[in-house]
Amino acid sequence: MSFLSKIFGDPNARVVADLQPLVEQINELGPEVEKLSPVELKAKSTGFKTQLQGGKSLDDILPEAFACVRGAAKRALGQRHFDEQLVGGIVLHQGQIAEMRTGEGKTLTATLAVYLNALAGQGAHVVTVNDYLSRRDAVWMGQVYYALGMTTSCINHERAFVYDPEASNEDETYNGLKEVPRRKAYEADITYGTNNEFGFDYLRDNMVWQKNQQVQRPLHYAIVDEVDSILIDEARTPLIISAPAEEATEKYVDIAKFVAGLKENEDYNLDEKMRAATLTEEGIGKAERWLGVENLYTGADTQVVHWLEAAVKAKALFKRDRDYVVRDGEVVIVDEFTGRLMFGRRYSDGLHQAIEAKEGVKIQRESMTMATVTFQNYFRMYQKLAGMTGTAATEAEEFHKIYNLEVVTVPTHKPTIRQDMSDLIYKTEAAKYSAVAKEIKERHIKGQPTLVGTISIAKNEILGELLTREGIPHEVLNAKNHAREAAIIAQAGKRGAVTIATNMAGRGVDIILGGNPADAAEAEFVKSVGGLHVIGTERHESRRIDNQLRGRSGRQGDPGSSQFFVGLEDDLMRIFGGERVKTMMERLGLPDDVPIENQLITKSLAQAQKKVEGNNFDIRKHLVEYDDVVNKQREVIYRRRQKILELAETNPTALKDEILHLINEEIKQVVGFHTAAGDETTWDLEEIYEVANTIFPVSKEIRKKLNELESLAGDASADELARTKIVDYLFKQAVLAYDAHEKGLIEQAKRLNNAEPEKIMSQVERTVLLRAIDNHWVQHLTAIDHLRAGIGLRGYGQREPLVEYKRESYKMYNDLLGLIRNSVVYSVYKTQLSGAPVQPAQRQLNELGPSKTSTAQSMMMGAATSTAAPMGKLKDSSGHKVGRNNPCPCGATLPDGRPKKYKHCHGKNV
């Protein structure tokens, strides 16, 4: 207990004590609920919803709602919530993190807050760490919600289900689940799913072109199970939806061969603490000679430099069977915290391709980011967020600062009697594993079950081979098959069982002494020999992961023990002072197989872990600070996109107003730019006329009128009046041209036998607006990535990189808005319906070849496709030639998004 706690008392204990009156109210309502018939219990949910609509708050109905959930659980599952679980439920309802020890029933606890918040009618999400757990919990807890008249669903990868007690499936892990469309699953009162599935569905919803293609409802309430794993361990990896870009190049292979010959400390420097690998002067010189350039950073293609840096990282920092495995000719990432294989995930920035080249497997194509979001920013979108885990207190500061979540430690139902023994420190890895095998054998012989935690798949296999040689039966879990993994981990408490697992394998599944289902006699025997013994073969860089492993033992007052076996060659020891300890052991003359138990060393390890945790927190905080900048932009863009989808469905005429507003803004900018000079004689009316003509057809009469309006200019006030009149006149002509274009499209739709020709313009407008937003947003994300990659260099110029990043990204965002406006304004008058006959001029345009086809033209979707008006020496359908100052029919654009003039493009040599 800290000094301040001794004086002021434990603040956590005060929070828990403050909740006791609510717990007592719930207990008092218990007998009343037990008297209800099944029909009356179901009807309670309808009554609660009516009370909420009548003005009551969730807090007002909490005691009775919780009592109903407790009653439903007792009837459906034969399980009655403990008072401690009621405390956990209140904490979760209040939007906080409930730290509950392993075996204390977090899954059942969540039902209380989930049910209460789902009554608001906006849905409640429960976030799990894998698909198997989301299915298991949806069926298991779905029985409780079903008894209360609420619907339950489950989101899995590419599949979605609703709970149906009558449903049976070929795969038994799906029994009780009926497959439905994804949107239907999200309409359920309570939805279970993984963080990845919820996050990717959010991104996909912001890429669709019709509102009815969206699946999620507004993000109302979520409980994140294993909250530390999802919101902290996985927070550094953003969710990205990408599309294939350019073909992979053989350069990766050539560079991998070159880098393979480089030597550490001679050609490159490796900094394991900072996870960095950089070329030395000698290495740069070798690369320059190999490439045949004088200066690597000016003489060579910058892309080659990028590939080279990625290849050095792949060689020096990323190890096979630790950071990744090679399966079926593919490089699959291994989650550093859980040991799980992350199928479908790829390292970004060319690193994955560099590893593929290093391993000699097929190099996959580069990808282009279409949409991205970090878990931090996704989960902060929920109106109310809560979480639960067995280990959160060590990260309380991060939860508070990033997510505004407080951590409340919920008391255990029974006192914890597990024995946590001091670390044993060995000089070599071989001696350490030999000692671990010996310890396992001794405990196996006396019938005590043992769970062994390792930090990687490779270490799992090393230990597995040792035990096989010793003739010790064992199970090895590498977090590959979640359903089988759960079945094995549930039996890890049987007499003499030996289970080797990566640190987080089987997380979310209880280990019951005697096995599951529990055998009373077997359980008593296992308790008599000391309960489950946990062995850690290496300290993780996070104390929380070590605590999670220890917490698998000693559930609900059961006996148990834990001990870590540490080697001086372990990463954490080697990086943080292992040499010092090694020297001390050699001075004492200890043989390799004799460990030392030293509190000083154990403390120094804890200090090293604190340092790494602090560094990782800084990295995640840094990521959030940078991503917050893009997140604000993403929110605005996605809101704008959502507004277009909703208007297209509810008020199509408003889309026309939206586009006309953009046209007016563009005309104002063009006129303002070309009349900015103080003297009206320098006004460039010719350029205004030309630009207007690229937006909509401008007749000679309009040109004549512009000259008349220009003559009104004289002094400053007269200049402003003349500008306003020019803008108003051009906009009026733009509206007339727009109406004529709309009429033409309707006639065209009738000729094409369109079912609803009168709606064709709103479809075109929606398409033009969404296409402009999507195309430029994707390009903006790529540009932001490049900015982020190089912004750190500003620090060398005594400028704060984050400040520079905010300034530059703000400028880029303003440019983005301008580009979106330009794309809409300069293409909407040129749209034609797909299926329209190709005009002679369009045929000539096609003959120019595809290299100049504009992105807007090729990306057009839905009812309309963008085609350039026939201009220049290409004749239009009437046979008229168009001037050299009009847009090139190929669709090429300038950097600011405006069409390139024919005389500067295909008309250059005509």
Side-chain angles (χ1 to χ4, degrees):
M1 185 180 285
S2 70
F3 174 71
L4 289 174
S5 294
K6 286 177 183 176
I7 297 174
F8 298 108
D10 182 357
N12 188 84
R14 287 205 307 275
V15 170
V16 173
D18 288 345
L19 301 180
Q20 287 309 310
L22 270 177
V23 172
E24 288 168 14
Q25 283 185 55
I26 298 164
N27 286 333
E28 287 169 9
L29 291 165
E32 188 181 315
V33 170
E34 286 181 12
K35 294 175 186 174
L36 298 174
S37 69
V39 174
E40 289 171 329
L41 185 59
K42 276 191 177 183
K44 276 289 181 183
S45 295
T46 306
F48 289 140
K49 290 175 183 177
T50 303
Q51 289 180 53
L52 291 172
Q53 289 165 2
K56 282 197 173 183
S57 69
L58 292 176
D59 289 340
D60 293 333
I61 64 170
L62 184 150
E64 192 177 359
F66 274 31
C68 287
V69 177
R70 184 190 241 177
K74 188 178 178 182
R75 293 183 192 190
L77 308 175
Q79 297 179 357
R80 183 179 181 275
H81 295 78
F82 303 133
D83 285 0
E84 292 79 9
Q85 289 173 316
L86 297 181
V87 170
I90 297 166
V91 169
L92 293 172
H93 163 64
Q94 291 175 343
Q96 301 179 89
I97 292 173
E99 183 184 69
M100 299 177 70
R101 293 283 182 90
T102 300
E104 290 296 306
K106 293 190 291 291
T107 308
L108 187 64
T109 299
T111 56
L112 298 159
V114 167
Y115 170 72
L116 176 62
N117 284 272
L119 288 170
Q122 299 172 61
H125 295 168
V126 184
V127 186
T128 65
V129 293
N130 61 55
D131 281 348
Y132 167 73
L133 288 178
S134 66
R135 292 198 303 274
R136 184 202 72 175
D137 293 355
V139 173
W140 187 14
M141 298 301 121
Q143 299 169 70
V144 178
Y145 303 127
Y146 185 78
L148 290 162
M150 303 288 273
T151 54
T152 310
S153 65
C154 164
I155 303 291
N156 272 192
H157 183 57
E158 295 181 351
R159 301 180 75 185
F161 310 87
V162 293
Y163 171 69
D164 180 350
E166 304 299 320
S168 61
N169 294 278
E170 198 171 312
D171 182 343
E172 289 185 5
T173 64
Y174 289 85
N175 278 347
L177 294 174
K178 177 183 173 184
E179 191 158 3
V180 294
R182 215 166 180 83
R183 184 171 185 169
K184 185 77 176 171
Y186 274 111
E187 288 171 358
D189 296 310
I190 296 109
T191 304
Y192 286 81
T194 65
N195 49 321
N196 285 340
E197 293 307 310
F198 285 125
F200 279 129
D201 282 340
Y202 162 74
L203 290 177
R204 283 188 286 262
D205 274 358
N206 284 286
M207 295 173 70
V208 301
W209 282 53
Q210 291 181 2
K211 195 170 185 304
N212 62 13
Q213 293 171 338
Q214 294 181 320
V215 296
Q216 283 188 346
R217 291 192 279 174
L219 304 178
H220 170 56
Y221 176 71
I223 292 178
V224 182
D225 193 8
E226 308 298 358
V227 67
D228 54 328
S229 174
I230 291 172
L231 295 192
I232 290 182
D233 296 339
E234 295 195 37
R236 283 185 285 180
T237 309
L239 291 172
I240 297 172
I241 291 180
S242 59
E246 61 192 52
E247 288 288 348
T249 172
E250 285 303 309
K251 273 289 182 187
Y252 279 115
V253 178
D254 297 337
I255 290 172
K257 288 176 183 174
F258 165 72
V259 167
L262 299 182
K263 297 174 184 173
E264 187 182 346
N265 297 328
E266 183 181 315
D267 302 314
Y268 65 88
N269 180 57
L270 175 62
D271 186 337
E272 289 189 85
K273 286 187 184 180
M274 298 299 294
R275 294 282 291 166
T278 51
L279 288 171
T280 61
E281 287 295 327
E282 180 65 29
I284 291 171
K286 282 185 182 178
E288 287 168 347
R289 290 190 291 276
W290 177 67
L291 288 167
V293 296
E294 278 189 30
N295 188 304
L296 181 63
Y297 294 92
T298 59
D301 181 356
T302 54
Q303 187 63 48
V304 174
V305 177
H306 178 71
W307 286 331
L308 189 60
E309 290 170 346
V312 173
K313 284 182 184 176
K315 171 185 168 69
L317 289 171
F318 291 81
K319 305 297 180 190
R320 184 168 177 165
D321 291 333
R322 185 191 73 184
D323 302 295
Y324 63 89
V325 296
V326 177
R327 289 279 186 278
D328 302 322
E330 285 188 28
V331 170
V332 183
I333 298 173
V334 175
D335 188 306
E336 64 174 309
F337 295 100
T338 67
R340 299 186 191 280
L341 298 183
M342 302 170 76
F343 293 101
R345 289 267 190 106
R346 290 177 65 80
Y347 294 117
S348 60
D349 228 20
L351 179 59
H352 210 96
Q353 286 83 356
I355 294 172
E356 288 167 334
K358 166 187 159 185
E359 294 294 343
V361 301
K362 183 183 177 184
I363 299 172
Q364 304 295 326
R365 289 178 70 177
E366 295 273 15
S367 60
M368 173 176 61
T369 299
M370 306 291 287
T372 180
V373 70
T374 58
F375 284 126
Q376 288 106 322
N377 276 317
Y378 172 71
F379 282 108
R380 288 192 296 182
M381 290 179 205
Y382 280 89
Q383 290 176 41
K384 184 160 64 170
L385 181 66
M388 50 190 187
T389 180
T391 45
T394 56
E395 315 292 348
E397 180 189 2
E398 182 164 353
F399 282 123
H400 173 69
K401 286 187 175 177
I402 293 182
Y403 301 100
N404 197 28
L405 290 170
E406 300 299 332
V407 176
V408 177
T409 302
V410 178
T412 55
H413 182 55
K414 294 179 181 177
T416 302
I417 58 172
R418 184 186 68 237
Q419 290 182 303
D420 295 329
M421 294 176 270
S422 300
D423 295 1
L424 295 176
I425 297 130
Y426 289 83
K427 199 185 293 183
T428 66
E429 187 174 75
K432 178 183 76 172
Y433 279 114
S434 177
V436 168
K438 184 180 176 185
E439 176 81 3
I440 292 169
K441 188 172 186 178
E442 287 175 3
R443 293 183 184 269
H444 172 69
I445 289 169
K446 76 172 187 176
Q448 185 176 14
T450 308
L451 174 68
V452 188
T454 68
I455 67 162
S456 70
I457 293 169
K459 299 291 169 71
N460 263 11
E461 290 168 355
I462 291 169
L463 192 53
E465 285 175 17
L466 270 175
L467 294 182
T468 301
R469 278 188 226 148
E470 292 288 334
I472 302 169
H474 61 278
E475 287 278 4
V476 178
L477 295 180
N478 287 337
K480 296 175 189 173
N481 184 320
H482 297 142
R484 180 176 176 275
E485 167 194 317
I488 291 170
I489 207 82
Q491 300 304 321
K494 288 179 75 172
R495 180 194 297 236
V498 177
T499 311
I500 306 171
T502 44
N503 277 326
M504 307 269 272
R507 193 169 182 174
V509 181
D510 282 344
I511 298 174
I512 298 172
L513 299 187
N516 191 12
D519 180 307
E522 281 294 295
E524 283 306 312
F525 171 80
V526 172
K527 287 177 184 178
S528 72
V529 293
L532 178 69
H533 181 62
V534 169
I535 293 176
T537 60
E538 197 165 329
R539 282 284 190 176
H540 196 275
E541 64 180 33
S542 167
R543 291 169 297 163
R544 183 171 39 80
I545 305 298
D546 292 342
N547 292 340
Q548 184 75 33
L549 179 62
R550 280 195 167 163
R552 306 316 296 267
S553 173
R555 65 184 288 282
Q556 291 193 11
D558 286 342
S561 53
S562 72
Q563 188 163 42
F564 278 83
F565 287 65
V566 180
L568 297 182
E569 295 174 358
D570 295 349
D571 287 346
L572 197 69
M573 284 292 287
R574 187 169 45 77
I575 295 169
F576 293 94
E579 280 300 319
R580 219 168 44 247
V581 181
K582 190 174 184 180
T583 304
M584 184 182 79
M585 290 180 80
E586 286 171 349
R587 198 179 300 130
L588 292 170
L590 294 173
D592 288 359
D593 60 350
V594 175
I596 61 169
E597 270 185 83
N598 188 302
Q599 285 299 320
L600 194 62
I601 296 172
T602 303
K603 279 183 181 176
S604 70
L605 264 178
Q607 286 301 114
Q609 287 176 310
K610 272 188 178 180
K611 268 188 196 174
V612 177
E613 286 167 2
N615 185 50
N616 287 340
F617 174 34
D618 289 341
I619 290 170
R620 290 188 292 267
K621 189 166 176 285
H622 191 65
L623 175 70
V624 171
E625 287 171 343
Y626 277 84
D627 192 60
D628 278 348
V629 177
V630 182
N631 192 56
K632 289 183 177 68
Q633 299 174 4
R634 175 172 41 240
E635 285 175 356
V636 175
I637 290 294
Y638 282 0
R639 272 202 304 271
R640 188 169 175 181
R641 213 180 175 284
Q642 188 66 23
K643 180 184 173 186
I644 291 164
L645 291 176
E646 288 171 359
L647 289 177
E649 193 173 271
T650 60
N651 186 14
T653 56
L655 293 178
K656 178 178 180 179
D657 296 337
E658 183 83 9
I659 290 179
L660 288 176
H661 171 73
L662 295 176
I663 292 168
N664 193 28
E665 288 296 306
E666 182 66 14
I667 289 171
K668 281 181 184 176
Q669 188 180 44
V670 169
V671 172
F673 184 79
H674 292 293
T675 63
D679 184 358
E680 72 279 358
T681 59
T682 61
W683 285 13
D684 194 346
L685 213 64
E686 179 65 27
E687 194 61 34
I688 293 174
Y689 172 75
E690 287 182 3
V691 173
N693 200 28
T694 63
I695 299 175
F696 61 92
V698 179
S699 65
K700 289 180 181 177
E701 287 72 21
I702 293 175
R703 171 58 201 268
K704 184 178 176 184
K705 181 66 175 177
L706 290 176
N707 285 333
E708 291 174 10
L709 293 172
E710 183 190 24
S711 66
L712 297 174
D715 55 28
S717 59
D719 287 354
E720 189 55 41
L721 178 64
R723 277 192 203 96
T724 302
K725 285 185 176 292
I726 290 172
V727 169
D728 291 346
Y729 177 72
L730 281 175
F731 180 61
K732 182 181 177 183
Q733 298 305 312
V735 172
L736 292 172
Y738 196 94
D739 292 340
H741 181 57
E742 179 178 2
K743 188 177 178 183
L745 284 178
I746 291 171
E747 290 302 317
Q748 196 179 4
K750 288 177 180 175
R751 289 197 301 274
L752 292 169
N753 297 319
N754 187 286
E756 296 179 298
E758 68 283 353
K759 292 184 179 179
I760 201 66
M761 195 61 193
S762 65
Q763 293 173 25
V764 169
E765 288 160 344
R766 181 196 64 199
T767 303
V768 168
L769 285 163
L770 292 180
R771 179 198 62 201
I773 290 171
D774 291 351
N775 287 350
H776 290 294
W777 177 242
V778 168
Q779 292 168 23
H780 180 70
L781 288 176
T782 303
I784 283 286
D785 282 345
H786 291 158
L787 173 67
R788 173 83 184 275
I791 203 73
L793 297 174
R794 305 283 178 95
Y796 293 109
Q798 305 302 311
R799 288 181 290 176
E800 170 56 45
L802 181 59
V803 173
E804 290 292 302
Y805 179 75
K806 286 179 178 177
R807 187 175 62 79
E808 292 280 344
S809 60
Y810 179 71
K811 180 179 177 298
M812 290 166 67
Y813 177 67
N814 283 332
D815 292 343
L816 165 70
L817 297 180
L819 289 168
I820 290 172
R821 183 184 70 220
N822 288 342
S823 281
V824 173
V825 171
Y826 290 93
S827 66
V828 70
Y829 287 92
K830 302 175 181 68
T831 51
Q832 292 182 8
L833 302 189
S834 55
V838 179
Q839 301 295 338
Q842 182 62 37
R843 194 173 294 114
Q844 292 180 55
L845 171 61
N846 296 340
E847 289 168 5
L848 290 175
S851 61
K852 292 287 183 179
T853 303
S854 69
T855 304
Q857 186 173 348
S858 61
M859 292 291 286
M860 196 67 169
M861 296 173 66
T865 53
S866 173
T867 56
M871 296 174 185
K873 292 225 169 175
L874 302 176
K875 297 178 181 179
D876 61 20
S877 56
S878 305
H880 296 122
K881 293 180 182 178
V882 186
R884 289 167 54 76
N885 285 316
N886 283 311
C888 184
C890 75
T893 57
L894 295 168
D896 65 359
R898 293 183 186 178
K900 206 169 185 180
K901 292 183 181 180
Y902 178 67
K903 66 183 179 184
H904 296 310
C905 196
H906 279 90
K908 192 183 292 185
N909 301 315
V910 176

